[in-house]
């Protein structure tokens, strides 16, 4: 069985929980509190030297880091990762876009403005987050005005990668009201079978503590 090191309110962790729920795959869940520094202990750094969740432990003990790498690994051979060479490249294209152009602004704003109430600490970065985040949302809006999903005619891991931080972007001060196609897509993804909310835990999950892991 997989073991997922995750934090409930982390968008990157949520991507993986969302895919596991949609696949109906049971797993063990280890809640890691990044706000208490639990990703920076010697024990955790021995598992992921980059000090981040999510982290997926495979049955053989291999530890796989990086949310989008985990999504690709879990989605291989399922309907969430296409077999066609160009479609696969397009899925990766949107996942790289998410990590380079979307998450660094939208997730950072949510982290500092909502999760840790650190507006004063990051006051000089907010304008740049807003500019970069709204540019990413505008690009998504253009694409989704003509397509129901990022690649092909059904959800892939590109959609889950982008859904995770977009649906909570208002917590980082982003106003989504000017992005109707993005809102329609958020509703479409959330309405599909197997969907779990960020604050929910899928029924197929066994929780264990960090000290037991
Ligand atoms: N590129 C990484 C980013 C992961 C990341 O930033 N994780 C955050 C939570 S969303 C974290 O673990 N922060 C704890 C820390 O930096 O100590 C991924 O997509 O998995």
């Amino acid at each position: 069985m997989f073991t997922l090191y995750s934090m409930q309110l982390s968008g990157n962790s949520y991507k993986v929980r969302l895919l596991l729920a949609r696949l109906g795959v049971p797993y063990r869940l280890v809640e890691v509190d990044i706000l208490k520094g639990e990703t920076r202990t010697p024990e955790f750094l021995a598992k992921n030297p980059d000090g981040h969740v999510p982290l997926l432990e495979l049955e053989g003990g291999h530890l796989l880091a990086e949310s989008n790498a985990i999504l690709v690994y879990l989605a291989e051979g399922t309907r969430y990762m296409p077999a066609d060479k160009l479609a696969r490249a397009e899925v990766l294209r949107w996942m790289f876009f998410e990590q380079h152009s979307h998450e660094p602004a939208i997730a950072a704003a949510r982290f500092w403005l909502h999760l840790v109430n650190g507006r004063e600490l990051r006051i000089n970065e907010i304008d740049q987050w807003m500019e970069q985040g709204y540019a990413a949302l505008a690009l998504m809006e253009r694409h989704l005005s003509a397509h129901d999903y990022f690649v092909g005619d059904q959800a892939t891991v590109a959609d889950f990668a982008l859904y995770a931080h977009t649906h909570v972007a208002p917590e980082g001060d982003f106003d989504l009201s000017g992005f109707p196609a993005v809102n329609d897509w958020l509703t479409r993804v959330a309405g599909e079978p197997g969907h779990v909310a960020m604050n929910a835990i899928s029924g197929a999950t066994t929780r264990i503590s960090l000290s037991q892991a």
Side-chain angles (χ1 to χ4, degrees):
M1 185 181 277
F2 296 120
T3 300
L4 178 67
Y5 296 82
S6 156
M7 186 173 99
Q8 191 75 35
L9 294 178
S10 139
N12 289 311
S13 298
Y14 171 54
K15 291 173 192 174
V16 180
R17 298 198 310 273
L18 176 54
L19 176 60
L20 286 164
R22 292 205 42 160
L23 289 170
V25 171
Y27 62 100
R28 300 193 312 160
L29 181 77
V30 181
E31 177 71 14
V32 179
D33 189 344
I34 67 171
L35 304 180
K36 289 187 182 152
E38 289 180 352
T39 45
R40 300 293 160 162
T41 63
E43 294 76 19
F44 192 84
L45 289 170
K47 295 180 189 294
N48 181 8
D50 205 20
H52 288 142
V53 286
L55 181 69
L56 185 72
E57 186 169 344
L58 311 188
E59 274 186 38
H62 186 95
L63 289 153
L64 182 61
E66 288 295 331
S67 58
N68 288 350
I70 298 170
L71 290 186
V72 168
Y73 175 79
L74 292 171
E76 283 292 357
T78 77
R79 62 201 298 255
Y80 300 117
M81 186 65 179
D84 174 75
K85 186 175 170 180
L86 182 57
R88 292 171 67 81
E90 285 289 349
V91 168
L92 293 176
R93 166 249 179 138
W94 284 108
M95 295 173 92
F96 293 138
F97 161 79
E98 187 264 346
Q99 285 285 292
H100 182 76
S101 304
H102 180 282
E103 193 257 16
I106 294 179
R110 174 174 174 264
F111 182 81
W112 288 103
L113 305 182
H114 176 70
L115 293 181
V116 298
N117 205 9
R119 186 178 298 270
E120 300 310 320
L121 292 171
R122 296 296 169 130
I123 199 78
N124 295 327
E125 287 159 81
I126 296 174
D127 284 353
Q128 197 193 331
W129 291 335
M130 292 299 131
E131 188 181 332
Q132 186 183 350
Y134 276 118
L137 290 166
L139 197 149
M140 292 168 66
E141 178 70 18
R142 275 202 299 283
H143 186 79
L144 292 168
S145 299
H147 304 89
D148 283 350
Y149 298 96
F150 280 94
V151 184
D153 57 6
Q154 60 180 33
T156 66
V157 280
D159 296 275
F160 302 149
L162 282 159
Y163 179 89
H165 291 112
T166 305
H167 87 293
V168 286
E171 294 178 356
D173 279 6
F174 288 97
D175 177 3
L176 294 184
S177 62
F179 300 94
V182 169
N183 280 305
D184 287 350
W185 164 78
L186 290 174
T187 304
R188 192 174 304 123
V189 171
E192 293 181 353
H195 184 81
V196 283
M198 182 183 246
N199 60 6
I201 294 292
S202 140
T205 305
T206 310
R207 281 175 184 257
I208 58 169
S209 71
L210 190 52
S211 58
Q212 289 174 301

